[in-house]
Amino acid sequence: MRSVPHGHVLLALVFSVLASAAWSQTFLKTIGEPGRNEKGFVLHRTPSNELFIGGSVGDSAMVQRIDDNGNVLWSRSFRPPGVFAKHVFNLNSAPDGTLIGVGNGFNANGELKEGFHFRMDVDGNVFWVRNWDNPEVYEREMIALSATEYVLFANIFELGTPTSSDLIPARIDATTGDLNWLSPRLDLVAAVPFVDEVHAVTTIDQSHYVTSRIHTAGAPYDGIRAGLSKFTYDGQHLWTKYLLFPNNVSRRIYPTDIIASNDSLVVAYSGDINGISTNWTLGLIRVDTLGTVAWARDFNVAGSGQDMSTKIVAT
């Protein structure tokens, strides 16, 4: 969950521009040991200014605490049940100062499977790890509602079912990790039941806003849109809109992140805003909390044929 009270936003890309004099590097450190396959997926700074990396080592999920110079203070790995290697995808802080997080496995096609969620303290002691009986469930983010309960935004992807892929928000008991409540599967575009896939979540004034990849025309690429959904604080779905283009226009847009900026929202995307090719650009969409677009900016990086964004970063 990311909130930007003031300032600007930057789009984090899968490439870097090293020649810019506007940026200075504090340190460059490789974290890991020879012979181990280690990956980092998320960096989280707590309200107490502690830094944590979530990722994986070998086939196990991993969390590391580092200092501001990139030195590893401790590293913990754990492996939830399942057949695929596990990776931590998101970390957040709970009101009591503990860490809460979610993760998933990847199958051979790079698809997310076998979601899990966990709670640990800042010294790396794991209180609990929970996973789903259905391996088709994967998770994006877990947010603390209070000291006793968390809201979890997950997805279920089953191509053989009538609605294929749907959001399934849930509430989790903070003490045990057990399921307190599970939403029915949410088909965000009921008129065309196909893929609805949550990508990122942010919160404004006791409401959660989710950006999702949605298909407004079934399987064809020309109906892929960046969706915006509003949820109550306890995870009840209120509404969903798709952004920028109507359903009868051939466009292919994939959302990647969302942040709160004052009383507005900023959604990042990658895709083709002129058609359905693989010649992608990337951009930002600013909307109000009713889903009305204030502006959109598209960025085409010279010399690149498929630009992809990953995160929005506040400055």
Side-chain angles (χ1 to χ4, degrees):
M1 180 175 63
R2 293 161 295 280
S3 179
V4 187
H6 300 290
H8 306 283
V9 296
L10 296 175
L11 206 54
L13 313 180
V14 295
F15 61 90
S16 59
V17 182
L18 300 179
S20 173
W23 298 93
S24 60
Q25 181 174 291
T26 303
F27 65 85
L28 174 63
K29 185 178 291 290
T30 300
I31 300 173
E33 299 178 13
R36 298 208 313 173
N37 185 16
E38 297 170 307
K39 300 175 183 178
F41 283 80
V42 60
L43 179 68
H44 174 65
R45 186 180 289 275
T46 71
S48 301
N49 217 32
E50 299 142 332
L51 274 174
F52 296 88
I53 294 174
S56 62
V57 54
D59 64 355
S60 299
M62 179 182 67
V63 176
Q64 291 183 334
R65 182 175 174 182
I66 64 173
D67 65 20
D68 282 343
N69 293 315
N71 300 305
V72 176
L73 302 179
W74 55 254
S75 181
R76 298 288 184 271
S77 63
F78 55 94
R79 195 182 192 288
V83 299
F84 303 118
K86 300 301 189 294
H87 315 273
V88 174
F89 269 55
N90 192 271
L91 293 169
N92 274 317
S93 294
D96 61 0
T98 57
L99 283 177
I100 57 176
V102 304
N104 303 287
F106 286 109
N107 68 8
N109 296 322
E111 298 166 333
L112 300 181
K113 304 288 183 181
E114 299 179 342
F116 63 91
H117 42 284
F118 62 93
R119 176 177 173 239
M120 67 193 318
D121 66 21
V122 295
D123 296 317
N125 300 303
V126 178
F127 295 116
W128 47 257
V129 181
R130 297 288 182 268
N131 64 289
W132 301 83
D133 293 334
N134 187 340
E136 301 302 324
V137 176
Y138 60 93
E139 305 185 7
R140 287 295 189 180
E141 187 156 359
M142 187 163 64
I143 300 168
L145 300 179
S146 66
T148 60
E149 192 172 49
Y150 311 140
V151 63
L152 172 67
F153 288 92
N155 234 81
I156 183 167
F157 200 105
E158 295 177 317
L159 285 178
T161 61
T163 58
S164 295
S165 174
D166 298 303
L167 276 69
I168 46 169
R171 291 197 300 272
I172 305 298
D173 183 273
T175 301
T176 65
D178 294 338
L179 191 67
N180 285 345
W181 168 82
L182 179 64
S183 167
R185 294 176 61 152
L186 299 177
D187 187 18
L188 299 181
V189 185
V192 187
F194 195 57
V195 172
D196 307 292
E197 185 177 21
V198 58
H199 278 264
V201 186
T202 193
T203 305
I204 299 179
D205 295 336
Q206 303 291 295
S207 296
H208 305 295
Y209 295 87
V210 172
T211 187
S212 301
R213 166 192 167 191
I214 59 178
H215 287 236
T216 65
Y221 288 133
D222 57 2
I224 298 176
R225 298 289 187 271
L228 177 68
S229 301
K230 182 177 181 178
F231 289 79
T232 63
Y233 195 60
D234 63 355
Q236 305 284 343
H237 178 247
L238 295 176
W239 51 256
T240 293
K241 299 181 179 181
Y242 51 91
L243 305 177
L244 294 187
F245 298 103
N247 188 39
N248 59 355
V249 176
S250 180
R251 300 291 187 270
R252 184 182 185 184
I253 301 174
Y254 298 87
T256 56
D257 198 17
I258 186 172
I259 61 171
S261 179
N262 297 318
D263 59 349
S264 298
L265 302 157
V266 182
V267 176
Y269 69 84
S270 299
D272 184 357
I273 64 168
N274 298 304
I276 59 171
S277 75
T278 56
N279 184 24
W280 291 3
T281 55
L282 49 87
L284 297 170
I285 309 166
R286 182 158 187 160
V287 301
D288 63 20
T289 54
L290 298 176
T292 303
V293 175
W295 52 256
R297 299 288 184 272
D298 194 67
F299 308 98
N300 190 358
V301 181
S304 174
Q306 193 174 50
D307 308 336
M308 298 180 68
S309 66
T310 55
K311 290 291 182 184
I312 310 173
V313 180
T315 64

